[in-house]
Amino acid sequence: MLPIEKFTFGVGDRFAHQAGAQLRAFEQLANDGVEVTPVWNKSNREHTFVGSQPQSVYDAAKTAVEERGWKKPWHIDADHIQLATVDPFLPCSDFFTIDVADSIGKAASADDVNAFVEAHGELIGTLTLDGLSSPLQVSKQDVKRVAQQYLLAVKEAAEIYRYIAAAKGADHVIAEISMDETDNPQTPPELLVILAAIADEKIPVQTIAPKFTGRFNKGVDYVGDLEQFEREFSDDLAVISHAVKTYGLPETLKLSVHSGSDKFSLYPIIRQCLKRTGAGLHLKTAGTTWLEEIIGLAEAGGDGLALAKEIYSYALEHVDEFCAPYASVIDIDKNKLPDADTVNAWSGPRLASAIRHLQDNEHFNPHMRQLLHVSFKVAAKQGSRYTDLLKANETIVAGEVTKNIYDRHLRPLFVGS
């Protein structure tokens, strides 16, 4: 396998124009004495919406790395791929987020389930693992239930991984398994059973993305019980450490937090857990950079502001269409979305302050922010008009991108206030 670094951070770049600005944030963090590896990610769904190809992500990142003289590691993530969608990502990606959410809950054969349960008697009983908040109580029926729910998904992940490894060579592959896009969170005991199944399939998984309790909505803060999240996150770290020792999984295996952008209330919790345990982390963001582009265009005024307003007006008219694919990761109250006439009367700074994620700003509107987060295809339809405005206002837009990643994400996660 290709060993992953201890701390990695996923950045999306919908239109492949901000790789340099994103990389600048990692340079600034390195100047603080903390090395975090950038991982540029873009899913097949986003490529389809925008009309781009996976190679464009690699090309933009490589150009930024060369122009800025970045000498440290970097990766390209084939985000949320499945067997049917992975081929275009093979030549240009080294990090593969294997998404098996569609197979979770589909029952494996009774023979496979029974064989797994019989092979893993060590999972049954009172499990006292180092670092747990309290012992895990796991019955034979619990193991059987989890196996019935997840064994088929793990077998699918193995099939996808072996296909990728055969095409690229295992030494050129970082494997992540994603189980976060499901209705129900995985508890720490369930995660342990899943990791045992992954080990049985001999997948050298280096990051795993469970679904945590609470809401991880796109582009806004976490909604849920912070104390419960802290227990769950800490226990998951203990489970991973135990699974590495018990099942021979890669020592680099770490938790991955998806939809991790803007989860400001969680960053101090995560940072303290990492400091206490010495564990690694992968945190994935996506549409945050696209939002910073809109904020930058609004701040720039003129044609940039006019287009930002047009994009919002169009998104407002098509709110149900744009929200449907992301229904499980957004919460928008349409009654709190200002009408187009109101927004059209705003100045650039006023519009920017409604979108920019500063929670103590009286103008911040999380409903507008979430709507724009999922409406990037409106900008894609503008073609060169949009990208030409990004180029014309590069200094302002890039400044917003760098500041957002460095000030509001990387520093709180890895340095603290």
Side-chain angles (χ1 to χ4, degrees):
M1 66 183 187
L2 175 63
I4 195 171
E5 296 73 26
K6 184 175 183 178
F7 299 128
T8 49
F9 186 93
V11 285
D13 189 8
R14 297 284 195 247
F15 300 97
H17 276 65
Q18 305 306 327
Q22 293 169 327
L23 190 56
R24 192 178 301 118
F26 293 88
E27 293 170 348
Q28 292 177 354
L29 191 70
N31 290 336
D32 292 330
V34 182
E35 291 193 8
V36 175
T37 299
V39 181
W40 280 274
N41 51 256
K42 193 171 181 180
S43 69
N44 183 71
R45 177 169 61 184
E46 272 68 55
H47 280 297
T48 301
F49 286 166
V50 172
S52 57
Q53 295 297 321
Q55 185 67 38
S56 65
V57 180
Y58 174 86
D59 291 344
K62 186 172 186 291
T63 297
V65 165
E66 292 175 348
E67 289 181 348
R68 299 198 63 80
W70 179 259
K71 302 301 183 184
K72 303 177 191 299
W74 55 283
H75 302 292
I76 303 296
D77 178 7
D79 190 15
H80 286 285
I81 52 89
Q82 299 173 328
L83 199 59
T85 58
V86 69
D87 280 351
F89 293 89
L90 291 172
C92 50
S93 302
D94 58 356
F95 187 121
F96 291 84
T97 299
I98 300 171
D99 187 341
V100 292
D102 290 347
S103 294
I104 293 174
K106 294 181 180 177
S109 73
D111 287 346
D112 285 345
V113 170
N114 290 333
F116 177 85
V117 174
E118 292 305 314
H120 287 287
E122 81 285 351
L123 291 170
I124 300 168
T126 300
L127 308 182
T128 304
L129 314 182
D130 290 342
L132 279 179
S133 57
S134 60
L136 304 180
Q137 303 293 336
V138 184
S139 68
K140 185 174 183 179
Q141 187 58 38
D142 290 332
V143 176
K144 184 175 183 179
R145 173 184 56 79
V146 177
Q148 288 172 330
Q149 189 172 6
Y150 291 98
L151 206 56
L152 197 65
V154 171
K155 289 181 178 297
E156 181 186 355
E159 180 184 8
I160 298 170
Y161 168 76
R162 286 191 283 267
Y163 181 86
I164 296 167
K168 291 187 69 72
D171 290 346
H172 300 284
V173 176
I174 295 169
E176 170 172 298
I177 296 179
S178 166
M179 296 188 171
D180 65 300
E181 294 196 353
T182 60
D183 292 332
N184 299 310
Q186 292 95 34
T187 65
E190 289 173 337
L191 180 61
L192 181 57
V193 175
I194 291 166
L195 289 173
I198 290 171
D200 285 354
E201 292 292 340
K202 296 180 170 51
I203 309 170
V205 62
Q206 295 192 73
T207 83
I208 186 160
K211 181 179 177 65
F212 296 100
T213 301
R215 294 284 295 183
F216 282 74
N217 291 331
K218 295 285 187 180
V220 292
D221 205 352
Y222 173 78
V223 179
D225 185 325
L226 294 179
E227 291 184 359
Q228 181 180 7
F229 174 82
E230 183 171 8
R231 288 193 301 272
E232 189 174 305
F233 188 86
S234 181
D235 284 353
D236 281 350
L237 293 180
V239 162
I240 286 176
S241 178
H242 175 78
V244 167
K245 297 170 186 174
T246 303
Y247 300 115
L249 290 165
E251 292 184 359
T252 48
L253 176 60
K254 58 186 181 179
L255 274 178
S256 179
V257 180
H258 283 200
S259 295
S261 59
D262 301 271
K263 303 304 178 285
F264 302 146
S265 62
L266 298 185
Y267 295 166
I269 294 171
I270 293 173
R271 186 180 70 252
Q272 290 301 318
C273 285
L274 300 182
K275 182 178 180 180
R276 174 177 55 80
T277 62
L281 175 74
H282 180 62
L283 186 135
K284 184 175 296 189
T285 71
T288 294
T289 288
W290 137 252
L291 289 171
E292 297 308 312
E293 289 178 340
I294 289 294
I295 289 167
L297 292 179
E299 290 279 14
D303 292 341
L305 174 58
L307 181 55
K309 290 177 177 178
E310 284 182 36
I311 289 172
Y312 175 73
S313 296
Y314 191 90
L316 192 61
E317 292 174 0
H318 297 80
V319 59
D320 292 333
E321 172 193 342
F322 292 155
C323 291
Y326 298 93
S328 64
V329 286
I330 55 175
D331 281 317
I332 296 175
D333 184 344
K334 288 187 281 189
N335 293 321
K336 295 182 179 178
L337 294 170
D339 61 49
D341 289 340
T342 297
V343 173
N344 285 336
W346 286 352
S347 67
R350 174 67 179 84
L351 176 55
S353 67
I355 307 167
R356 187 182 289 115
H357 197 179
L358 297 178
Q359 294 170 317
D360 57 356
N361 188 307
E362 62 177 329
H363 298 308
F364 173 60
N365 187 322
H367 308 279
M368 283 187 71
R369 182 173 172 84
Q370 288 179 88
L371 175 59
L372 284 168
H373 194 294
V374 301
S375 300
F376 56 91
K377 65 172 67 175
V378 185
K381 290 180 180 178
Q382 296 290 327
S384 61
R385 181 188 174 201
Y386 179 73
T387 54
D388 285 350
L389 281 169
L390 293 181
K391 295 174 186 176
N393 298 284
E394 180 180 355
T395 300
I396 296 175
V397 172
E400 296 289 344
V401 170
T402 301
K403 184 176 180 64
N404 174 60
I405 295 175
Y406 174 69
D407 286 356
R408 295 194 281 273
H409 289 82
L410 291 176
R411 272 194 62 86
L413 262 170
F414 298 106
V415 179
S417 55

